[in-house]
Amino acid sequence: MNFTRTLLPLSLLLLSGCVVGPDYQKPETALPAKFTESKATSAENVALNPWWEAFRDKRLNALVHEGLGENLSVMTALERIEAAEASVTIAGAGSLPSLGVGANATAQGGHNAQDRRTITGGADASWLLDFFGQYRRAKEAATASLDAAYDDVNVARLAYLSDLVSSYVNARYFQEALALSRKNLESRRETLKLTNEIREAGAASNLDVLQTEGLVNQTLAELPGLEAGFLQAANHIATLLGVPAGTVTASLTKGSAQPMPRYTTRTGVPADLIRNRPDIRAAERRLQAATAQIGVNEANLYPSIQLGGSINASRVFTNPGVTNMTSWSFGPSLALPIFNGGELRARVKVARSQAEQQYLTWKSTVLNAVEEVENAQSALIRDGQTVAALRKVVQTNEKTLELARESYRGGASTILDVLDAERNVASARLSLAAAIRQLARDYVALNVAIGGGAEIGAAETVASK
C-alpha cells in the first residue's frame, strides 16, 4: 500500500510531460523616446533599404551588387548556418527511438570436426523518455542558435556594405585629391613662369624664383602618396569582391565625382534598433539559447527512464539437421542521480550565470547601437555644415589668388603674396575634398548603425547555397 502511494504521484508527474527550467522572456531595457537630433517618429523596416543608391553612382551600385554574393565574410557566415541546422537535427534526434540491427555468419569444419554453419541476426532498440523536457530544451537552444546564425549573416553583410562603400568613397577621394593637386601644380607652374618673366624684366629676384620653384616641387612630392592611397583603396575593393588585388584598378582609374548623399536618413527611434539591427537580434537569440540550456541542465537533476529491448535469432546448420534459436528481452531502466558531488547543481548555476551574461551582452549591444546612431547623426549634420562653409572658403581664396596675381603683375605686391594665396587655395580645396569624404563616411556609418540594407540579397544568397 505504501509503495502504491509513493509510485502514483511519481507516475502522474512523469506522465504529465513537464518541462523544467525557465521559459524564455523577451529582454527589456530602458531606452529614450527619441534620438537627440531626430523626431520621435518610428521608422519603417530599413533592412531592405538600398541606402547607397542615394550617392547616385552607377559604378558603386554595380560593385555592391557584384559583391553581395561573393564576399568571403558573408560566405563564411552562411557556412555556419549549415552547422547550426545540423545541430538542430542532433538535438531533436535524442528524443526519438533508436534502432540498430546486425547479422553475422560463421562456418566451422575440419578433419575430426563436424561441419557447422551458423547464421545469427539481431536488433536492439532503445528510447529515452523525455519526461522533464531535456531534449525539448536542447532543441529550443539549437533552434535559437540557428536563428542567431542567420542574423550573423546579416551582421557580416552590414560589415561588408560599410567596408565596400567606405573604400569606394576613399578611392574617389584620392582621385579627387590627385586631380586637385595636379591643378595646383599647373597653377604654381604658371606662377613660376610669371616670376621668371618678371625677373627678366628686372622686377623680381632670384629668391622669388627659388621660392616659387620650391612650391612646385612640394606639390610634385605630394602626388605619389595620393596615388598610393588610391591604389590601396582599389586593391581593398578587389579583396572585398573576392578577387585578387589589382583586378578592379583599371575600371576605377577613370575618375568620377566624389560620392555625396542626395537625401537624408530617417533614423526612427531607439526602440526600432531592436527590430532592425541584426547584431541585437543575434544577441537576443543567444540569450534564448542560454535560457533553454538551464532547462537542459536542470533535467539532469531528475530521474531518467529508458525503454530498451533486443531480439536475437540464430540458425545452425549441421549434418544431422537444422537448429533454430531465438531470444528476446524488453524492459525499462531507471537512473537516479543521487551522489555526484554537487556537479549537476553546479552545472545549473553555470547555465544561469551564462544566461545572465548573455542578457548583459544583449543590453550592451543595444546601448552601443544607440551610441553609434547618435554619434553618426551628429557627425553627419555638422560635417554637412563644414562642407558648406568650406565651399565658400574655396571661392574666396580663388578670388584672392586672382587679385594677388594681378597685383603682382602691376608691381603692387610681392611674390610672397601670390605664393600665400596659392597655398590657401590648395589647402582649402583639399580640405573641402576631405570634408566631403568624411560626410559620405558619416552617411555610411549612420545607415549601417540603424541596420539599413542588412537583408538585401539575403534570399538570393541563401538560395544559392
Side-chain angles (χ1 to χ4, degrees), residues 84-278:
E85 287 177 340
S87 297
V88 174
T89 303
I90 292 171
S95 62
L96 301 176
S98 63
L99 175 67
V101 296
N104 63 75
T106 60
Q108 179 182 349
H111 180 69
N112 295 321
Q114 185 182 45
D115 291 340
R116 180 187 180 94
R117 289 175 294 159
T118 304
I119 299 177
T120 304
D124 296 291
S126 63
W127 185 15
L128 181 63
L129 302 181
D130 190 18
F131 287 119
F132 297 98
Q134 176 182 3
Y135 290 109
R136 279 170 282 179
R137 290 299 192 195
K139 188 172 182 179
E140 179 184 348
T143 302
S145 297
L146 174 60
D147 292 339
Y150 276 101
D151 286 321
D152 285 341
V153 174
N154 294 336
V155 172
R157 188 175 288 109
L158 268 185
Y160 151 76
L161 289 172
S162 174
D163 201 356
L164 176 63
V165 179
S166 296
S167 297
Y168 184 83
V169 168
N170 287 340
R172 293 311 189 196
Y173 159 73
F174 283 114
Q175 284 184 313
E176 179 69 13
L178 272 168
L180 291 174
S181 294
R182 290 181 178 124
K183 186 176 181 180
N184 293 333
L185 179 61
E186 182 181 351
S187 174
R188 287 168 178 174
R189 281 173 171 166
E190 289 179 2
T191 302
L192 177 59
K193 180 180 178 182
L194 175 62
T195 305
N196 281 321
E197 292 174 353
I198 295 176
R199 184 189 61 175
E200 292 174 358
S205 66
N206 289 333
L207 179 60
D208 293 339
V209 174
L210 290 175
Q211 288 175 325
T212 308
E213 286 179 347
L215 205 54
V216 170
N217 292 328
Q218 179 183 343
T219 307
L220 286 170
E222 294 170 355
L223 296 179
L226 297 174
E227 291 172 350
F230 165 73
L231 293 174
Q232 290 169 5
N235 290 340
H236 189 57
I237 290 173
T239 301
L240 292 174
L241 298 180
V243 296
T247 306
V248 301
T249 302
S251 64
L252 292 175
T253 300
K254 183 180 179 181
S256 65
Q258 283 187 268
M260 277 277 292
R262 303 301 178 181
Y263 55 80
T264 58
T265 298
R266 290 183 57 190
T267 58
V269 296
D272 292 335
L273 298 177
I274 297 176
R275 179 183 72 249
N276 292 331
R277 287 268 300 225

Side-chain angles (χ1 to χ4, degrees), residues 302-333:
Y302 298 95
S304 62
I305 296 179
Q306 182 169 349
L307 300 179
S310 64
I311 183 170
N312 294 284
S314 63
R315 193 169 192 179
V316 181
F317 299 88
T318 59
N319 288 333
V322 179
T323 303
N324 295 320
M325 292 181 291
T326 303
S327 63
W328 62 272
S329 65
F330 176 78
S333 61

Side-chain angles (χ1 to χ4, degrees), residues 250-442:
S251 64
L252 292 175
T253 300
K254 183 180 179 181
S256 65
Q258 283 187 268
M260 277 277 292
R262 303 301 178 181
Y263 55 80
T264 58
T265 298
R266 290 183 57 190
T267 58
V269 296
D272 292 335
L273 298 177
I274 297 176
R275 179 183 72 249
N276 292 331
R277 287 268 300 225
D279 56 338
I280 295 177
R281 296 199 304 267
E284 184 180 345
R285 296 283 72 78
R286 291 189 173 92
L287 171 59
Q288 183 178 5
T291 302
Q293 190 61 40
I294 297 175
V296 174
N297 289 344
E298 283 192 4
N300 291 327
L301 298 174
Y302 298 95
S304 62
I305 296 179
Q306 182 169 349
L307 300 179
S310 64
I311 183 170
N312 294 284
S314 63
R315 193 169 192 179
V316 181
F317 299 88
T318 59
N319 288 333
V322 179
T323 303
N324 295 320
M325 292 181 291
T326 303
S327 63
W328 62 272
S329 65
F330 176 78
S333 61
L334 175 66
L336 298 174
I338 300 176
F339 301 110
N340 50 63
E343 177 187 355
L344 297 181
R345 293 193 177 277
R347 289 183 180 275
V348 174
K349 290 182 179 180
V350 169
R352 290 186 178 276
S353 175
Q354 290 174 340
E356 181 63 23
Q357 293 174 45
Q358 286 297 333
Y359 167 72
L360 296 175
T361 298
W362 173 85
K363 184 176 181 179
S364 176
T365 304
V366 172
L367 296 178
N368 286 337
V370 175
E371 179 186 0
E372 289 175 2
V373 174
E374 292 279 16
N375 290 343
Q377 186 175 36
S378 62
L380 182 64
I381 293 172
R382 283 152 186 81
D383 283 337
Q385 296 169 352
T386 300
V387 169
L390 283 173
R391 290 189 191 280
K392 296 179 180 179
V393 171
V394 170
Q395 293 174 358
T396 300
N397 286 335
E398 287 176 346
K399 291 179 180 178
T400 302
L401 176 58
E402 292 176 5
L403 294 175
R405 281 179 174 165
E406 291 178 4
S407 179
Y408 181 54
R409 286 190 184 97
S413 62
T414 66
I415 188 60
L416 294 178
D417 296 325
V418 177
L419 297 181
D420 286 341
E422 285 189 334
R423 289 191 190 95
N424 292 336
V425 168
S427 176
R429 286 172 175 170
L430 290 175
S431 295
L432 175 59
I436 291 174
R437 173 175 69 163
Q438 189 57 49
L439 179 66
R441 291 170 65 92
D442 293 337

